[in-house]
Each structure stands twice: as structure tokens, then as C-alpha cells.
Amino acid sequence: MSDLHGSRVLLGVTGGIAAYKAALLARLLVGAGATVDPVLTRGAGRFVGAATFEGITGRPVRDEVWQDIPGETHVALGRAADVAIVYPATANVIAKLAGGHADDLLTTTLLAATCPLLVAPAMHTEMWEHPATRDNIAVLCRRGVDVVGPAVGRLMGGDLGAGRLVEPDEAFERLVAQLRAARSRADDLAGRRVLVTAGGTHEPLDPVRFLGNRSSGKMGFAIAAAAAARGAKVDLVAAPSALPTPPGVERHDVTTARQMHDAVFALVDVVDVVVKAAAVADFRPADVASSKVKKSDGAPRLELVANPDILADLGARRAEGHPRPFLVGFAAETDDVEDNARAKLTRKNADLLVVNDVGATDAGFGVDTNRVVILGRDGSRTEVELAAKSAVADRVLDEVVGRLPAS
Ligand code: PMT
């Protein structure tokens, strides 16, 4: 039986010459046992008729937000979908999705949908390469949308270049992969307790100043959210961060490395996994002034002392014979990235180490995306290409789940 059997696919079709290929995709999906809900934009309806999709899917084609008001068509369609794809996606619809617009049935439905979304762009090369389209695609990627293509090839009017809609079988395979990943992750951490640290610690110098770093907390909060969505009980030990607490997560706010150390060790006996995404200050000022240091007193001399290394202390505890928790460290590196990270993995006795090159502008601190390599104590190496931190979080947890002892 195929992975799509019994699933519900929302097929958004927008106005482009390639819209006819959506009928072929619909046929593949129906053939694999999926229920397909086609939603056409007005533009799509000028290229392919609703009758084609009704004939193939056996389902009514929706194209108006005003249909079935009491049944709330857009909410019902969005909620029912296991996966959604916009195939083809014009530059206009991509811009609307990036901007959160809801001015027709397709955009309204997608705003109400919480399932994985794939977008398959199709347009002329100049439109694909326009900075506005590039920005809109980057926004969608940051939100975890899977952008499929475009391919390079012959375009309308005989031009050759990037912008061609990927073929129906490629879109089909990606849909299957998304659905498979979503299904296998559902509740795969049920019954586990996961502790995540996030954000950058602050080490006070005086009542108004501190030594800190550029961590926003985004990576750690994404891991906490993903673990909770996969059924884990999640404790998030958060250094100062403006981010809201993800649903279903218990948050423990801390400020300094020593407070984080205490918060982690207070829970160490009851958690199955610790993920240390926080950027922890290695040093703190030896003395903290009790009142604000005055400029008129001249530049203060800073003496620093070492903070506890929380991950290394957890690793030492493991070495003493405690089988739990499973330890995931992060490594923020700028030079000799993987060599340094492997050394850190061994030194801190972690099970996995997630390495990010924090010298890159689109990865590491502050941004919504990351690009990592996950190194295993067992010698494994898994590369995760640039993706939304939410997607990276799931890839890290995939590696954890596969290594946890049976509960
Ligand atoms: O928060 P964001 O803006 O989303 O940015 C994400 C991130 C770049 C902070 C994150 O992806 C990341 O790399 N976190 C680890 C940063 C770090 O402190 O790296 P490190 O190489 O200095 O430390 C290695 C590991 O030891 C880390 O798991 C760290 O939490 C831990 N450590 C370090 C020092 C210390 N005193 N105690 C620790 O536990």
C-alpha cells in the first residue's frame, strides 16, 4: 500500500501555462489512493477547466471563498489536509503566501492549514530571479515551506532557463517524502522527557551591564517546539530571550551560566534527553559591582573566572555510569569547523554534536535558518542543508529518536 493511501491532499492550482500538469499530478495522487481536494485560482481556471479536475479526483472543485459559507470551506479544507501543494505556483501567489494575504479561496485556505506545504514555482527566468521573488521564497523557506524546483528548461515562448515547473512525478515523490516524514515523526517522542537549553547567558558586570552573546534563542526554541509536537514532555531552560514559549513546553527562565547549570542538574535525573542549544558564557566577571560603574572612574579592569561547562559536566556524569540522559551538544565554530567539533564531541562526552558555522550570514546566531552537520559519537555524519530552524530541529530530533533505547 502506498504512503499516500487514505491521506488527504490539498492541490492548489494557480494561473500558468503549466497548470495542465496539475491534472497529471492529480491522477498520480488519486492512483496512489489519496483523496485530492483541488482548489483553483481564477487564473488557473483560464488554463484548465474545473471539469478536468472533477473528473480525475471525483471531488468538487472549489474556487470561491463564498461557496458553502456555513461549512467554512477554507477552514474545513485547511484542517482536513494532511499535506498541501501549490502546483504550479506563480510569482503572484508566492508573494501573497509570503505576505500572508487571504484574498481568494486558495490563499485563505493555506492560511488556515497547519499541514506541511510544498510550493512548486513556475515562471519566466527574469521573474524567478527578481529580488522580490527571491525574498518571498526566502520567507517561505524560513517558515518551513518545501520549495520544489523550479527546473531549468524550455519555458513558454521558447525561452530556455530556470523557472520551469518540475514534472508531476518529481512533485509526487516530494509529497510522499513530506507525508512519510510527518507520519513517522507523529508522537515518536511520546513518553520521553526532553530538556532543551536555549538563548545566550548574561554575566553581570554591574546592575546595568553584562557580558553576553548574539544568541536569540531561535534554534533552541525550535527544538523545544518540535519535541513537544512529537509528543515529548519538554522543559526549556531559557537564557534571556524575547521569544514566546512554544505550546506545551514548560519554561524555566535563567540568566547566568551558573543558574543554567543548576536548572539543568535539577532535572537531570528525570529527563531522557538533553539538547544544549544555548550559547553559554565560558567566563564571567570575577566581581560584580553592586552599583553602576561610573565612566568618571575610568575604564574598569576586567578579571574573568571560568564558568562551569554544563555539557562537559553532563558528559562526566555519563562517564561515571549514568545511562541517561542522551546528550546532544551544539558547536558554534568559525574555523576548522568539523575538526574542532569532533574534538569537542569527544572532550565533552556527548552522544551527538550539532555543528553550525556561525561565520555564515544565513546560519547560526539570530537568523531564522541554519545549516548544520550532525556528528555522532558512533562516527556518523549527517549534513542538513540550509533550512528553517524548525526543519533543522526535526532533523536533529530524527537523529536522537533513532538512537534512544526502548522505553
Ligand atoms: O539562538 P540562535 O540565535 O538561534 O543561535 C543558535 C546558536 C548559534 C546559539 C546555536 O545553534 C549554537 O550553536 N549553540 C551552541 C553555542 C555554543 O555555545 O557553542 P560552543 O561551541 O561554545 O559550546 C559547545 C557546547 O557546550 C554547546 O552545546 C554549549 O551549550 C555547551 N556549553 C558551552 C560552554 C559552557 N560553559 N557550558 C556548556 O554547556
Side-chain angles (χ1 to χ4, degrees):
M1 201 184 289
S2 96
D3 284 295
L4 281 166
H5 193 86
S7 61
R8 192 107 175 231
V9 181
L10 182 84
L11 174 61
V13 187
T14 72
I17 190 77
Y20 72 94
K21 290 188 182 174
L24 303 173
L25 177 59
R27 207 171 60 186
L28 286 173
L29 294 168
V30 171
T35 299
V36 179
D37 287 310
V39 177
L40 271 59
T41 61
R42 191 165 294 166
R46 302 190 73 134
F47 287 96
V48 244
T52 304
F53 289 99
E54 284 188 353
I56 292 173
T57 65
R59 308 272 305 157
V61 166
R62 273 68 166 232
D63 53 9
E64 275 290 350
V65 92
W66 310 111
Q67 288 165 332
D68 188 17
I69 297 288
E72 294 184 296
T73 302
H74 65 289
V75 179
L77 282 173
R79 280 195 188 139
D82 296 303
V83 63
I85 183 166
V86 185
Y87 180 91
T90 58
N92 182 44
V93 161
I94 288 169
K96 287 206 267 181
L97 293 178
H101 292 233
D103 62 355
D104 62 7
L105 182 61
L106 179 60
T107 49
T108 312
T109 302
L110 292 176
L111 213 51
T114 53
C115 61
L117 171 64
L118 293 87
V119 164
M123 64 197 75
H124 264 87
T125 308
E126 293 83 348
M127 295 169 78
W128 172 246
E129 288 175 351
H130 194 285
T133 307
R134 309 305 308 163
D135 285 351
N136 291 330
I137 288 288
V139 167
L140 295 184
C141 286
R142 282 205 295 276
R143 284 190 204 140
V145 173
D146 186 8
V147 178
V148 192
V152 175
R154 195 156 295 285
L155 305 170
M156 200 175 75
D159 292 352
L160 205 65
R164 189 180 158 90
L165 183 66
V166 296
E167 293 304 317
D169 52 351
E170 186 177 343
F172 176 82
E173 289 306 326
R174 284 281 275 270
L175 266 168
V176 171
Q178 277 287 352
L179 206 61
R180 198 181 288 145
R183 284 215 177 118
S184 74
R185 284 170 182 156
D187 283 340
D188 62 359
L189 281 168
R192 310 284 190 177
R193 190 157 174 185
V194 176
L195 188 158
V196 183
T197 70
T201 57
H202 288 187
E203 305 298 332
L205 289 156
D206 71 11
V208 298
R209 303 181 180 90
F210 59 84
L211 294 180
N213 61 67
R214 294 197 292 116
S215 172
S216 62
K218 287 178 182 174
M219 190 66 248
F221 277 58
I223 291 171
R230 293 166 74 152
K233 175 170 171 38
V234 180
D235 294 280
L236 174 62
V237 176
S241 166
L243 297 175
T245 309
V249 166
E250 190 169 341
R251 179 170 178 165
H252 312 263
D253 283 315
V254 297
T255 304
T256 65
R258 283 184 297 173
Q259 288 168 359
M260 182 172 278
H261 187 279
D262 291 350
V264 169
F265 273 82
L267 291 166
V268 73
D269 287 325
V270 295
V271 294
D272 301 290
V273 181
V274 173
V275 183
K276 289 239 53 260
V280 185
D282 289 316
F283 299 97
R284 67 178 185 277
D287 298 304
V288 182
S290 56
S291 52
K292 187 181 169 197
V293 174
K294 297 268 183 303
K295 188 177 169 186
S296 53
D297 294 338
R301 268 180 51 83
L302 260 189
E303 194 191 329
L304 300 176
V305 293
N307 268 329
D309 189 318
I310 308 164
L311 181 59
D313 287 354
L314 290 166
R317 188 177 169 279
R318 280 286 297 275
E320 285 161 8
H322 292 273
R324 291 189 321 169
F326 185 90
L327 294 181
V328 185
F330 267 70
E333 303 289 346
T334 51
D335 311 292
D336 302 325
V337 174
E338 277 194 52
D339 286 348
N340 283 336
R342 267 239 176 257
K344 215 170 256 183
L345 172 71
T346 311
R347 198 169 63 243
K348 301 203 181 195
N349 198 24
D351 294 289
L352 293 175
L353 201 76
V354 184
V355 194
N356 36 204
D357 180 352
V358 292
T361 54
D362 53 3
F365 289 104
V367 291
D368 293 322
T369 47
N370 211 353
R371 182 191 296 102
V372 304
V373 177
I374 306 170
L375 302 175
R377 182 213 290 263
D378 50 14
S380 67
R381 180 185 184 281
T382 308
E383 245 182 87
V384 182
E385 288 299 321
L386 187 71
K389 281 182 174 166
S390 56
V392 173
D394 266 323
R395 294 293 300 278
V396 171
L397 292 175
D398 289 347
E399 296 291 321
V400 173
V401 168
R403 289 171 167 86
L404 287 182
S407 53

